[in-house]
Amino acid sequence: MEPSSGHAFSMQGTAETASVAPRMETEQAVDSRETLVPPPGTGESTVARAAAAARQVMAQRGDNEWPRPAKTRVITVANQKGGVGKTTTSVNLAAALAMHGAQVLVVDLDPQGNASTALGIDHHADVPSMYHVLIEERPLAEIVMASPELPNLYCAPATLHLAGAEIELVSKVARESRLRRALDDYDKSRFDYVLIDCPPSLGLLTLNALVGGDELLIPIQCEYYALEGLSQLLGTVDLVTSHLNPTLNVSTILLTMYDARTRLAAQVAEEVRSHFGETVLKTLIPRSVRVSEAPSYGQSVMTYDPGSTGALAYSEAASEIAHRWAEVAS
Ligand code: ADP
Ligand code: MG
């Protein structure tokens, strides 16, 4: 699927100050009221809670199985803006897919290692990481670790060394294609999904992720400056598709941190949908305290509070992603 129109956007009509509806409830109140299964600390194990939540969500949806792709889907999660929900999206979609039986690998390409943290993976400086894969050509198989989050979930961790990789890559041979080569050399057939979490820049790490992926998922935060920088990202995608990776496809846009109480969020969502049409998932990810709390427990929100609005939304979004492939493939 291609973006539905050109890459020049205007934010006219969204310049209005965010107005807050008068009968607003606090986010926490909304979250806890909508919590359908017990929150953490009630004695159940993480996995048991996650499994219960998955069953509950599936029962609500009335479908028990999500289609598994015939071949591994490598999905790059990128947006050079920081704080738009790239890591949160990578981790929670990965967990949701794993909860429905898919085998999932998260490749953490951000030197901050937030995805590794959220998946409960130790990533202190001595841990073999994506730095070693990209710079020293170490096989991915040697650094992939099982996440304690869920049985089918794995992570290729990032450490702070990766910050140096951005500079060290400049003088390396095939500097833009090193992740692609590592993924090609790795037997990833055991995985249904590989999700690549990018740093907040359009440097060589993100470029490697664009060259390494088949699909691009762009999280867009429902805020005033949401579309700023997007034309630059899509310009980079055009360069990548014409020179380095013709298969890259902007398959998915996900609206994140949606605050239903503000007109601004609705306007941004509408603007994004009018530009990108079907590429935008129907599911909106709401702003939710539980989503932001989960990483500090080394968890995704899917296991931290599986019944929360944030977890249910990520589960819906993951289901859309799984089913869309099935529609395209059939
Ligand atoms: P990025 O990876 O694009 O920099 P993050 O996923 O780290 O963005 O998100 C930025 C911050 O916003 C983090 O503190 C995260 O916990 C928080 N956050 C992300 N999504 C949500 C959400 N739906 N509701 C509340 N907070 C969120
Ligand atoms: Mg991040």
Side-chain angles (χ1 to χ4, degrees), residues 257-295:
M257 292 183 240
Y258 185 82
D259 187 342
R261 300 167 305 192
T262 71
R263 288 240 319 261
L264 178 64
Q267 285 169 340
V268 171
E270 203 181 297
E271 175 124 356
V272 172
R273 286 193 197 283
S274 74
H275 277 295
F276 293 101
E278 293 283 295
T279 307
V280 187
L281 293 186
K282 293 191 181 70
T283 309
L284 294 158
I285 305 301
R287 204 171 256 291
S288 148
V289 169
R290 297 282 192 268
V291 170
S292 56
E293 283 173 353

PDB file of all heavy atoms in Angstrom, residues 257-295:
ATOM      1  N   MET A 257      -1.142   7.661  21.493  1.00  0.00           N
ATOM      2  CA  MET A 257      -1.357   8.649  22.564  1.00  0.00           C
ATOM      3  C   MET A 257      -2.564   9.528  22.273  1.00  0.00           C
ATOM      4  O   MET A 257      -2.535  10.735  22.472  1.00  0.00           O
ATOM      5  CB  MET A 257      -0.092   9.489  22.789  1.00  0.00           C
ATOM      6  CG  MET A 257       1.040   8.661  23.369  1.00  0.00           C
ATOM      7  SD  MET A 257       2.485   9.640  23.716  1.00  0.00           S
ATOM      8  CE  MET A 257       3.662   8.836  22.663  1.00  0.00           C
ATOM      9  N   TYR A 258      -3.603   8.903  21.802  1.00  0.00           N
ATOM     10  CA  TYR A 258      -4.830   9.620  21.441  1.00  0.00           C
ATOM     11  C   TYR A 258      -5.577   9.995  22.714  1.00  0.00           C
ATOM     12  O   TYR A 258      -5.837   9.152  23.569  1.00  0.00           O
ATOM     13  CB  TYR A 258      -5.698   8.712  20.567  1.00  0.00           C
ATOM     14  CG  TYR A 258      -6.932   9.391  20.045  1.00  0.00           C
ATOM     15  CD1 TYR A 258      -6.869  10.206  18.927  1.00  0.00           C
ATOM     16  CD2 TYR A 258      -8.160   9.219  20.675  1.00  0.00           C
ATOM     17  CE1 TYR A 258      -7.995  10.836  18.441  1.00  0.00           C
ATOM     18  CE2 TYR A 258      -9.300   9.851  20.190  1.00  0.00           C
ATOM     19  CZ  TYR A 258      -9.206  10.654  19.071  1.00  0.00           C
ATOM     20  OH  TYR A 258     -10.317  11.282  18.597  1.00  0.00           O
ATOM     21  N   ASP A 259      -5.907  11.260  22.812  1.00  0.00           N
ATOM     22  CA  ASP A 259      -6.660  11.729  23.977  1.00  0.00           C
ATOM     23  C   ASP A 259      -8.035  12.155  23.496  1.00  0.00           C
ATOM     24  O   ASP A 259      -8.202  13.223  22.900  1.00  0.00           O
ATOM     25  CB  ASP A 259      -5.915  12.905  24.623  1.00  0.00           C
ATOM     26  CG  ASP A 259      -6.571  13.323  25.929  1.00  0.00           C
ATOM     27  OD1 ASP A 259      -7.741  12.959  26.152  1.00  0.00           O
ATOM     28  OD2 ASP A 259      -5.903  14.008  26.720  1.00  0.00           O
ATOM     29  N   ALA A 260      -9.008  11.295  23.758  1.00  0.00           N
ATOM     30  CA  ALA A 260     -10.359  11.518  23.226  1.00  0.00           C
ATOM     31  C   ALA A 260     -10.996  12.791  23.783  1.00  0.00           C
ATOM     32  O   ALA A 260     -12.015  13.247  23.279  1.00  0.00           O
ATOM     33  CB  ALA A 260     -11.235  10.310  23.541  1.00  0.00           C
ATOM     34  N   ARG A 261     -10.394  13.362  24.826  1.00  0.00           N
ATOM     35  CA  ARG A 261     -10.995  14.557  25.426  1.00  0.00           C
ATOM     36  C   ARG A 261     -10.651  15.822  24.658  1.00  0.00           C
ATOM     37  O   ARG A 261     -11.226  16.865  24.901  1.00  0.00           O
ATOM     38  CB  ARG A 261     -10.507  14.705  26.878  1.00  0.00           C
ATOM     39  CG  ARG A 261     -10.876  13.516  27.747  1.00  0.00           C
ATOM     40  CD  ARG A 261     -10.129  13.541  29.046  1.00  0.00           C
ATOM     41  NE  ARG A 261      -8.680  13.626  28.838  1.00  0.00           N
ATOM     42  CZ  ARG A 261      -7.780  13.443  29.784  1.00  0.00           C
ATOM     43  NH1 ARG A 261      -8.172  13.170  31.008  1.00  0.00           N
ATOM     44  NH2 ARG A 261      -6.498  13.540  29.522  1.00  0.00           N
ATOM     45  N   THR A 262      -9.691  15.731  23.741  1.00  0.00           N
ATOM     46  CA  THR A 262      -9.297  16.953  23.039  1.00  0.00           C
ATOM     47  C   THR A 262      -9.741  16.932  21.581  1.00  0.00           C
ATOM     48  O   THR A 262      -9.669  15.890  20.918  1.00  0.00           O
ATOM     49  CB  THR A 262      -7.761  17.157  23.080  1.00  0.00           C
ATOM     50  OG1 THR A 262      -7.152  16.179  22.249  1.00  0.00           O
ATOM     51  CG2 THR A 262      -7.215  17.050  24.489  1.00  0.00           C
ATOM     52  N   ARG A 263     -10.200  18.091  21.108  1.00  0.00           N
ATOM     53  CA  ARG A 263     -10.565  18.215  19.697  1.00  0.00           C
ATOM     54  C   ARG A 263      -9.328  18.079  18.837  1.00  0.00           C
ATOM     55  O   ARG A 263      -9.379  17.561  17.720  1.00  0.00           O
ATOM     56  CB  ARG A 263     -11.191  19.596  19.440  1.00  0.00           C
ATOM     57  CG  ARG A 263     -12.573  19.751  20.006  1.00  0.00           C
ATOM     58  CD  ARG A 263     -13.629  20.075  18.926  1.00  0.00           C
ATOM     59  NE  ARG A 263     -13.232  21.024  17.911  1.00  0.00           N
ATOM     60  CZ  ARG A 263     -13.563  22.323  17.913  1.00  0.00           C
ATOM     61  NH1 ARG A 263     -14.240  22.828  18.920  1.00  0.00           N
ATOM     62  NH2 ARG A 263     -13.214  23.097  16.910  1.00  0.00           N
ATOM     63  N   LEU A 264      -8.206  18.556  19.374  1.00  0.00           N
ATOM     64  CA  LEU A 264      -6.960  18.540  18.602  1.00  0.00           C
ATOM     65  C   LEU A 264      -6.613  17.122  18.161  1.00  0.00           C
ATOM     66  O   LEU A 264      -6.275  16.875  17.004  1.00  0.00           O
ATOM     67  CB  LEU A 264      -5.817  19.138  19.427  1.00  0.00           C
ATOM     68  CG  LEU A 264      -4.450  19.132  18.753  1.00  0.00           C
ATOM     69  CD1 LEU A 264      -4.442  20.000  17.507  1.00  0.00           C
ATOM     70  CD2 LEU A 264      -3.375  19.610  19.717  1.00  0.00           C
ATOM     71  N   ALA A 265      -6.716  16.167  19.104  1.00  0.00           N
ATOM     72  CA  ALA A 265      -6.366  14.775  18.779  1.00  0.00           C
ATOM     73  C   ALA A 265      -7.253  14.266  17.646  1.00  0.00           C
ATOM     74  O   ALA A 265      -6.769  13.623  16.712  1.00  0.00           O
ATOM     75  CB  ALA A 265      -6.507  13.898  20.026  1.00  0.00           C
ATOM     76  N   ALA A 266      -8.544  14.573  17.716  1.00  0.00           N
ATOM     77  CA  ALA A 266      -9.472  14.119  16.675  1.00  0.00           C
ATOM     78  C   ALA A 266      -9.119  14.757  15.332  1.00  0.00           C
ATOM     79  O   ALA A 266      -9.166  14.102  14.284  1.00  0.00           O
ATOM     80  CB  ALA A 266     -10.909  14.460  17.073  1.00  0.00           C
ATOM     81  N   GLN A 267      -8.729  16.026  15.375  1.00  0.00           N
ATOM     82  CA  GLN A 267      -8.385  16.715  14.128  1.00  0.00           C
ATOM     83  C   GLN A 267      -7.122  16.134  13.509  1.00  0.00           C
ATOM     84  O   GLN A 267      -7.036  15.945  12.295  1.00  0.00           O
ATOM     85  CB  GLN A 267      -8.185  18.211  14.395  1.00  0.00           C
ATOM     86  CG  GLN A 267      -9.512  18.924  14.604  1.00  0.00           C
ATOM     87  CD  GLN A 267      -9.316  20.341  15.127  1.00  0.00           C
ATOM     88  OE1 GLN A 267      -8.259  20.671  15.677  1.00  0.00           O
ATOM     89  NE2 GLN A 267     -10.330  21.162  14.981  1.00  0.00           N
ATOM     90  N   VAL A 268      -6.136  15.850  14.363  1.00  0.00           N
ATOM     91  CA  VAL A 268      -4.894  15.260  13.845  1.00  0.00           C
ATOM     92  C   VAL A 268      -5.197  13.891  13.227  1.00  0.00           C
ATOM     93  O   VAL A 268      -4.751  13.578  12.123  1.00  0.00           O
ATOM     94  CB  VAL A 268      -3.815  15.140  14.951  1.00  0.00           C
ATOM     95  CG1 VAL A 268      -2.627  14.324  14.469  1.00  0.00           C
ATOM     96  CG2 VAL A 268      -3.357  16.519  15.395  1.00  0.00           C
ATOM     97  N   ALA A 269      -5.995  13.104  13.935  1.00  0.00           N
ATOM     98  CA  ALA A 269      -6.334  11.766  13.437  1.00  0.00           C
ATOM     99  C   ALA A 269      -7.026  11.876  12.076  1.00  0.00           C
ATOM    100  O   ALA A 269      -6.704  11.139  11.139  1.00  0.00           O
ATOM    101  CB  ALA A 269      -7.231  11.049  14.443  1.00  0.00           C
ATOM    102  N   GLU A 270      -7.940  12.832  11.965  1.00  0.00           N
ATOM    103  CA  GLU A 270      -8.673  13.001  10.713  1.00  0.00           C
ATOM    104  C   GLU A 270      -7.735  13.424   9.574  1.00  0.00           C
ATOM    105  O   GLU A 270      -7.818  12.919   8.460  1.00  0.00           O
ATOM    106  CB  GLU A 270      -9.736  14.079  10.937  1.00  0.00           C
ATOM    107  CG  GLU A 270     -10.897  14.000   9.976  1.00  0.00           C
ATOM    108  CD  GLU A 270     -11.869  15.120  10.267  1.00  0.00           C
ATOM    109  OE1 GLU A 270     -12.435  15.146  11.376  1.00  0.00           O
ATOM    110  OE2 GLU A 270     -12.026  15.987   9.381  1.00  0.00           O
ATOM    111  N   GLU A 271      -6.832  14.330   9.904  1.00  0.00           N
ATOM    112  CA  GLU A 271      -5.874  14.819   8.898  1.00  0.00           C
ATOM    113  C   GLU A 271      -4.984  13.667   8.402  1.00  0.00           C
ATOM    114  O   GLU A 271      -4.750  13.513   7.202  1.00  0.00           O
ATOM    115  CB  GLU A 271      -5.023  15.928   9.527  1.00  0.00           C
ATOM    116  CG  GLU A 271      -3.925  16.413   8.611  1.00  0.00           C
ATOM    117  CD  GLU A 271      -3.988  17.908   8.358  1.00  0.00           C
ATOM    118  OE1 GLU A 271      -4.921  18.561   8.837  1.00  0.00           O
ATOM    119  OE2 GLU A 271      -3.092  18.401   7.665  1.00  0.00           O
ATOM    120  N   VAL A 272      -4.503  12.858   9.352  1.00  0.00           N
ATOM    121  CA  VAL A 272      -3.638  11.737   8.973  1.00  0.00           C
ATOM    122  C   VAL A 272      -4.421  10.755   8.102  1.00  0.00           C
ATOM    123  O   VAL A 272      -3.937  10.282   7.073  1.00  0.00           O
ATOM    124  CB  VAL A 272      -3.055  11.045  10.225  1.00  0.00           C
ATOM    125  CG1 VAL A 272      -2.317   9.763   9.856  1.00  0.00           C
ATOM    126  CG2 VAL A 272      -2.118  11.995  10.969  1.00  0.00           C
ATOM    127  N   ARG A 273      -5.653  10.477   8.483  1.00  0.00           N
ATOM    128  CA  ARG A 273      -6.474   9.537   7.693  1.00  0.00           C
ATOM    129  C   ARG A 273      -6.748  10.084   6.299  1.00  0.00           C
ATOM    130  O   ARG A 273      -6.771   9.341   5.323  1.00  0.00           O
ATOM    131  CB  ARG A 273      -7.808   9.254   8.409  1.00  0.00           C
ATOM    132  CG  ARG A 273      -7.645   8.334   9.609  1.00  0.00           C
ATOM    133  CD  ARG A 273      -8.985   7.816  10.101  1.00  0.00           C
ATOM    134  NE  ARG A 273      -8.881   7.285  11.451  1.00  0.00           N
ATOM    135  CZ  ARG A 273      -8.361   6.103  11.750  1.00  0.00           C
ATOM    136  NH1 ARG A 273      -7.894   5.334  10.785  1.00  0.00           N
ATOM    137  NH2 ARG A 273      -8.293   5.705  12.996  1.00  0.00           N
ATOM    138  N   SER A 274      -6.961  11.421   6.212  1.00  0.00           N
ATOM    139  CA  SER A 274      -7.263  11.955   4.884  1.00  0.00           C
ATOM    140  C   SER A 274      -6.031  11.878   3.973  1.00  0.00           C
ATOM    141  O   SER A 274      -6.154  11.717   2.768  1.00  0.00           O
ATOM    142  CB  SER A 274      -7.825  13.377   4.978  1.00  0.00           C
ATOM    143  OG  SER A 274      -6.801  14.274   5.295  1.00  0.00           O
ATOM    144  N   HIS A 275      -4.844  11.966   4.535  1.00  0.00           N
ATOM    145  CA  HIS A 275      -3.628  11.854   3.711  1.00  0.00           C
ATOM    146  C   HIS A 275      -3.272  10.411   3.391  1.00  0.00           C
ATOM    147  O   HIS A 275      -2.783  10.112   2.312  1.00  0.00           O
ATOM    148  CB  HIS A 275      -2.424  12.467   4.435  1.00  0.00           C
ATOM    149  CG  HIS A 275      -2.341  13.954   4.282  1.00  0.00           C
ATOM    150  ND1 HIS A 275      -2.118  14.560   3.081  1.00  0.00           N
ATOM    151  CD2 HIS A 275      -2.470  14.939   5.204  1.00  0.00           C
ATOM    152  CE1 HIS A 275      -2.108  15.871   3.255  1.00  0.00           C
ATOM    153  NE2 HIS A 275      -2.321  16.126   4.535  1.00  0.00           N
ATOM    154  N   PHE A 276      -3.466   9.528   4.348  1.00  0.00           N
ATOM    155  CA  PHE A 276      -2.905   8.177   4.203  1.00  0.00           C
ATOM    156  C   PHE A 276      -3.944   7.075   4.062  1.00  0.00           C
ATOM    157  O   PHE A 276      -3.576   5.909   3.908  1.00  0.00           O
ATOM    158  CB  PHE A 276      -1.974   7.864   5.380  1.00  0.00           C
ATOM    159  CG  PHE A 276      -0.741   8.718   5.382  1.00  0.00           C
ATOM    160  CD1 PHE A 276      -0.648   9.816   6.224  1.00  0.00           C
ATOM    161  CD2 PHE A 276       0.308   8.440   4.532  1.00  0.00           C
ATOM    162  CE1 PHE A 276       0.476  10.617   6.217  1.00  0.00           C
ATOM    163  CE2 PHE A 276       1.436   9.237   4.508  1.00  0.00           C
ATOM    164  CZ  PHE A 276       1.528  10.333   5.352  1.00  0.00           C
ATOM    165  N   GLY A 277      -5.214   7.438   4.153  1.00  0.00           N
ATOM    166  CA  GLY A 277      -6.286   6.471   3.904  1.00  0.00           C
ATOM    167  C   GLY A 277      -6.132   5.164   4.653  1.00  0.00           C
ATOM    168  O   GLY A 277      -5.900   5.135   5.863  1.00  0.00           O
ATOM    169  N   GLU A 278      -6.223   4.085   3.897  1.00  0.00           N
ATOM    170  CA  GLU A 278      -6.262   2.741   4.467  1.00  0.00           C
ATOM    171  C   GLU A 278      -4.978   2.306   5.166  1.00  0.00           C
ATOM    172  O   GLU A 278      -4.974   1.331   5.907  1.00  0.00           O
ATOM    173  CB  GLU A 278      -6.534   1.731   3.340  1.00  0.00           C
ATOM    174  CG  GLU A 278      -7.904   1.844   2.725  1.00  0.00           C
ATOM    175  CD  GLU A 278      -8.960   1.234   3.619  1.00  0.00           C
ATOM    176  OE1 GLU A 278      -8.908   0.017   3.818  1.00  0.00           O
ATOM    177  OE2 GLU A 278      -9.800   1.986   4.138  1.00  0.00           O
ATOM    178  N   THR A 279      -3.905   3.048   4.885  1.00  0.00           N
ATOM    179  CA  THR A 279      -2.639   2.690   5.554  1.00  0.00           C
ATOM    180  C   THR A 279      -2.755   2.874   7.074  1.00  0.00           C
ATOM    181  O   THR A 279      -2.059   2.223   7.846  1.00  0.00           O
ATOM    182  CB  THR A 279      -1.499   3.583   4.997  1.00  0.00           C
ATOM    183  OG1 THR A 279      -1.511   3.473   3.582  1.00  0.00           O
ATOM    184  CG2 THR A 279      -0.143   3.160   5.499  1.00  0.00           C
ATOM    185  N   VAL A 280      -3.663   3.749   7.481  1.00  0.00           N
ATOM    186  CA  VAL A 280      -3.819   4.039   8.919  1.00  0.00           C
ATOM    187  C   VAL A 280      -4.700   2.958   9.560  1.00  0.00           C
ATOM    188  O   VAL A 280      -5.810   2.697   9.088  1.00  0.00           O
ATOM    189  CB  VAL A 280      -4.488   5.422   9.128  1.00  0.00           C
ATOM    190  CG1 VAL A 280      -4.489   5.803  10.603  1.00  0.00           C
ATOM    191  CG2 VAL A 280      -3.801   6.490   8.274  1.00  0.00           C
ATOM    192  N   LEU A 281      -4.198   2.353  10.619  1.00  0.00           N
ATOM    193  CA  LEU A 281      -5.004   1.336  11.303  1.00  0.00           C
ATOM    194  C   LEU A 281      -6.266   1.976  11.882  1.00  0.00           C
ATOM    195  O   LEU A 281      -6.246   3.134  12.304  1.00  0.00           O
ATOM    196  CB  LEU A 281      -4.205   0.692  12.443  1.00  0.00           C
ATOM    197  CG  LEU A 281      -2.998  -0.168  12.065  1.00  0.00           C
ATOM    198  CD1 LEU A 281      -2.423  -0.841  13.318  1.00  0.00           C
ATOM    199  CD2 LEU A 281      -3.340  -1.216  11.019  1.00  0.00           C
ATOM    200  N   LYS A 282      -7.334   1.205  11.903  1.00  0.00           N
ATOM    201  CA  LYS A 282      -8.590   1.712  12.482  1.00  0.00           C
ATOM    202  C   LYS A 282      -8.423   1.950  13.979  1.00  0.00           C
ATOM    203  O   LYS A 282      -8.989   2.870  14.549  1.00  0.00           O
ATOM    204  CB  LYS A 282      -9.709   0.696  12.257  1.00  0.00           C
ATOM    205  CG  LYS A 282     -10.091   0.539  10.798  1.00  0.00           C
ATOM    206  CD  LYS A 282     -11.380  -0.266  10.666  1.00  0.00           C
ATOM    207  CE  LYS A 282     -11.736  -0.445   9.203  1.00  0.00           C
ATOM    208  NZ  LYS A 282     -10.794  -1.357   8.499  1.00  0.00           N
ATOM    209  N   THR A 283      -7.654   1.105  14.605  1.00  0.00           N
ATOM    210  CA  THR A 283      -7.455   1.205  16.052  1.00  0.00           C
ATOM    211  C   THR A 283      -6.599   2.417  16.401  1.00  0.00           C
ATOM    212  O   THR A 283      -5.549   2.629  15.799  1.00  0.00           O
ATOM    213  CB  THR A 283      -6.742  -0.063  16.577  1.00  0.00           C
ATOM    214  OG1 THR A 283      -7.430  -1.206  16.098  1.00  0.00           O
ATOM    215  CG2 THR A 283      -6.681  -0.076  18.090  1.00  0.00           C
ATOM    216  N   LEU A 284      -7.071   3.174  17.377  1.00  0.00           N
ATOM    217  CA  LEU A 284      -6.282   4.287  17.924  1.00  0.00           C
ATOM    218  C   LEU A 284      -5.724   3.829  19.263  1.00  0.00           C
ATOM    219  O   LEU A 284      -6.422   3.154  20.023  1.00  0.00           O
ATOM    220  CB  LEU A 284      -7.198   5.476  18.217  1.00  0.00           C
ATOM    221  CG  LEU A 284      -7.878   6.195  17.058  1.00  0.00           C
ATOM    222  CD1 LEU A 284      -9.096   6.939  17.575  1.00  0.00           C
ATOM    223  CD2 LEU A 284      -6.886   7.176  16.448  1.00  0.00           C
ATOM    224  N   ILE A 285      -4.485   4.196  19.553  1.00  0.00           N
ATOM    225  CA  ILE A 285      -3.944   3.853  20.878  1.00  0.00           C
ATOM    226  C   ILE A 285      -4.215   5.028  21.821  1.00  0.00           C
ATOM    227  O   ILE A 285      -3.734   6.138  21.586  1.00  0.00           O
ATOM    228  CB  ILE A 285      -2.427   3.583  20.811  1.00  0.00           C
ATOM    229  CG1 ILE A 285      -2.094   2.503  19.760  1.00  0.00           C
ATOM    230  CG2 ILE A 285      -1.907   3.192  22.196  1.00  0.00           C
ATOM    231  CD1 ILE A 285      -2.733   1.152  19.973  1.00  0.00           C
ATOM    232  N   PRO A 286      -4.987   4.806  22.866  1.00  0.00           N
ATOM    233  CA  PRO A 286      -5.298   5.926  23.764  1.00  0.00           C
ATOM    234  C   PRO A 286      -4.117   6.272  24.667  1.00  0.00           C
ATOM    235  O   PRO A 286      -3.243   5.425  24.905  1.00  0.00           O
ATOM    236  CB  PRO A 286      -6.453   5.376  24.609  1.00  0.00           C
ATOM    237  CG  PRO A 286      -6.219   3.897  24.640  1.00  0.00           C
ATOM    238  CD  PRO A 286      -5.587   3.548  23.316  1.00  0.00           C
ATOM    239  N   ARG A 287      -4.093   7.490  25.128  1.00  0.00           N
ATOM    240  CA  ARG A 287      -3.135   7.848  26.163  1.00  0.00           C
ATOM    241  C   ARG A 287      -3.559   7.104  27.430  1.00  0.00           C
ATOM    242  O   ARG A 287      -4.740   7.121  27.787  1.00  0.00           O
ATOM    243  CB  ARG A 287      -3.197   9.356  26.398  1.00  0.00           C
ATOM    244  CG  ARG A 287      -1.972   9.938  26.978  1.00  0.00           C
ATOM    245  CD  ARG A 287      -2.052  11.441  26.962  1.00  0.00           C
ATOM    246  NE  ARG A 287      -1.233  12.014  25.915  1.00  0.00           N
ATOM    247  CZ  ARG A 287       0.090  12.003  25.906  1.00  0.00           C
ATOM    248  NH1 ARG A 287       0.766  11.421  26.889  1.00  0.00           N
ATOM    249  NH2 ARG A 287       0.764  12.548  24.931  1.00  0.00           N
ATOM    250  N   SER A 288      -2.643   6.434  28.062  1.00  0.00           N
ATOM    251  CA  SER A 288      -3.016   5.618  29.213  1.00  0.00           C
ATOM    252  C   SER A 288      -1.850   5.523  30.192  1.00  0.00           C
ATOM    253  O   SER A 288      -0.715   5.245  29.802  1.00  0.00           O
ATOM    254  CB  SER A 288      -3.398   4.213  28.715  1.00  0.00           C
ATOM    255  OG  SER A 288      -3.073   3.227  29.660  1.00  0.00           O
ATOM    256  N   VAL A 289      -2.168   5.772  31.447  1.00  0.00           N
ATOM    257  CA  VAL A 289      -1.128   5.737  32.481  1.00  0.00           C
ATOM    258  C   VAL A 289      -0.467   4.361  32.554  1.00  0.00           C
ATOM    259  O   VAL A 289       0.742   4.245  32.697  1.00  0.00           O
ATOM    260  CB  VAL A 289      -1.742   6.106  33.853  1.00  0.00           C
ATOM    261  CG1 VAL A 289      -0.766   5.831  34.980  1.00  0.00           C
ATOM    262  CG2 VAL A 289      -2.164   7.561  33.853  1.00  0.00           C
ATOM    263  N   ARG A 290      -1.268   3.314  32.406  1.00  0.00           N
ATOM    264  CA  ARG A 290      -0.728   1.949  32.506  1.00  0.00           C
ATOM    265  C   ARG A 290       0.351   1.702  31.445  1.00  0.00           C
ATOM    266  O   ARG A 290       1.336   1.021  31.692  1.00  0.00           O
ATOM    267  CB  ARG A 290      -1.834   0.915  32.334  1.00  0.00           C
ATOM    268  CG  ARG A 290      -2.885   0.970  33.399  1.00  0.00           C
ATOM    269  CD  ARG A 290      -2.393   0.305  34.673  1.00  0.00           C
ATOM    270  NE  ARG A 290      -3.500   0.119  35.568  1.00  0.00           N
ATOM    271  CZ  ARG A 290      -3.857   1.002  36.493  1.00  0.00           C
ATOM    272  NH1 ARG A 290      -3.168   2.125  36.638  1.00  0.00           N
ATOM    273  NH2 ARG A 290      -4.888   0.778  37.271  1.00  0.00           N
ATOM    274  N   VAL A 291       0.119   2.241  30.244  1.00  0.00           N
ATOM    275  CA  VAL A 291       1.098   2.054  29.156  1.00  0.00           C
ATOM    276  C   VAL A 291       2.438   2.651  29.564  1.00  0.00           C
ATOM    277  O   VAL A 291       3.491   2.054  29.354  1.00  0.00           O
ATOM    278  CB  VAL A 291       0.584   2.709  27.843  1.00  0.00           C
ATOM    279  CG1 VAL A 291       1.678   2.729  26.786  1.00  0.00           C
ATOM    280  CG2 VAL A 291      -0.639   1.968  27.324  1.00  0.00           C
ATOM    281  N   SER A 292       2.394   3.833  30.177  1.00  0.00           N
ATOM    282  CA  SER A 292       3.660   4.490  30.523  1.00  0.00           C
ATOM    283  C   SER A 292       4.303   3.890  31.769  1.00  0.00           C
ATOM    284  O   SER A 292       5.507   3.989  31.948  1.00  0.00           O
ATOM    285  CB  SER A 292       3.446   6.000  30.686  1.00  0.00           C
ATOM    286  OG  SER A 292       2.457   6.247  31.645  1.00  0.00           O
ATOM    287  N   GLU A 293       3.510   3.240  32.627  1.00  0.00           N
ATOM    288  CA  GLU A 293       4.078   2.627  33.835  1.00  0.00           C
ATOM    289  C   GLU A 293       4.802   1.315  33.541  1.00  0.00           C
ATOM    290  O   GLU A 293       5.796   0.976  34.194  1.00  0.00           O
ATOM    291  CB  GLU A 293       2.942   2.290  34.826  1.00  0.00           C
ATOM    292  CG  GLU A 293       2.392   3.465  35.571  1.00  0.00           C
ATOM    293  CD  GLU A 293       1.160   3.079  36.389  1.00  0.00           C
ATOM    294  OE1 GLU A 293       0.666   1.926  36.275  1.00  0.00           O
ATOM    295  OE2 GLU A 293       0.688   3.936  37.130  1.00  0.00           O
ATOM    296  N   ALA A 294       4.294   0.573  32.560  1.00  0.00           N
ATOM    297  CA  ALA A 294       4.758  -0.809  32.352  1.00  0.00           C
ATOM    298  C   ALA A 294       6.279  -0.956  32.209  1.00  0.00           C
ATOM    299  O   ALA A 294       6.865  -1.846  32.856  1.00  0.00           O
ATOM    300  CB  ALA A 294       4.040  -1.407  31.142  1.00  0.00           C
ATOM    301  N   PRO A 295       6.959  -0.085  31.404  1.00  0.00           N
ATOM    302  CA  PRO A 295       8.396  -0.322  31.208  1.00  0.00           C
ATOM    303  C   PRO A 295       9.212  -0.290  32.492  1.00  0.00           C
ATOM    304  O   PRO A 295      10.219  -0.995  32.609  1.00  0.00           O
ATOM    305  CB  PRO A 295       8.829   0.826  30.278  1.00  0.00           C
ATOM    306  CG  PRO A 295       7.581   1.326  29.655  1.00  0.00           C
ATOM    307  CD  PRO A 295       6.478   1.059  30.622  1.00  0.00           C
TER     308      PRO A 295
END
